[in-house]
Amino acid sequence: MHRSRLIAASLVTLAALALTGCTGDAAPGQDGSIATDVYPGLPEDATGPVGTEQTTAVWLADGRERFAIVTWGSSSCPPVATELTVVGPDAVSVSFGEPVQDVCTADMAATTHEFVMPAEVTERPVLVDVAVQGLDGFTQLTLP
């Protein structure tokens, strides 16, 4: 009888651990991302319009200290921001790598990647070059 209780308790513990592993708090794409925050959907505090199914850059509502880049693609495999480089007093470049997941859903969803604007960028508007690994070229966006 004691042995069956031990087995039952072990099975319950294993099931709880398995469920905990599936419900992690990390947003998609945070593994290795340099973004300050990554979450599914569009930014609620954007100060401008967010494009539909195209990469967009927007200021966030805190006075132009933070901005977001919205990418579109698989909701389970968004690209990962790997590098933010100051190009000049009015320009930055943001590079995205491939997703860290192996299996991705075949849907089209928005993922928001938030960043702090480097102090060296003092002029407005700000040009934002976005490069995504695996895609040719880059997208040039403007933060007014």
Side-chain angles (χ1 to χ4, degrees):
M1 188 86 153
H2 178 66
R3 185 174 182 192
S4 63
R5 284 187 195 167
L6 183 61
I7 292 172
S10 296
L11 290 174
V12 169
T13 302
L14 286 173
L17 288 173
L19 288 174
T20 302
C22 294
T23 60
D25 293 332
Q30 279 188 324
D31 293 335
S33 177
I34 61 153
T36 58
D37 199 9
V38 179
Y39 50 90
L42 301 173
E44 290 184 18
D45 59 345
T47 61
V50 178
T52 303
E53 296 188 14
Q54 63 185 18
T55 303
T56 307
V58 292
W59 288 111
L60 298 175
D62 65 354
R64 296 186 179 203
E65 293 176 6
R66 293 181 314 118
F67 69 101
I69 296 176
V70 178
T71 58
W72 291 84
S74 171
S75 61
S76 63
C77 297
V80 177
T82 57
E83 185 175 10
L84 187 150
T85 305
V86 174
V87 178
D90 65 346
V92 295
S93 174
V94 181
S95 298
F96 286 85
E98 294 180 2
V100 295
Q101 296 82 354
D102 291 330
V103 179
C104 303
T105 56
D107 60 346
M108 183 62 75
T111 299
T112 297
H113 311 262
E114 292 187 4
F115 303 90
V116 173
M117 184 59 71
E120 300 87 4
V121 179
T122 56
E123 297 178 16
R124 304 295 186 259
V126 177
L127 298 177
V128 181
D129 288 337
V130 177
V132 179
Q133 184 178 349
L135 300 178
D136 291 336
F138 62 91
T139 302
Q140 190 169 66
L141 308 169
T142 302
L143 289 168

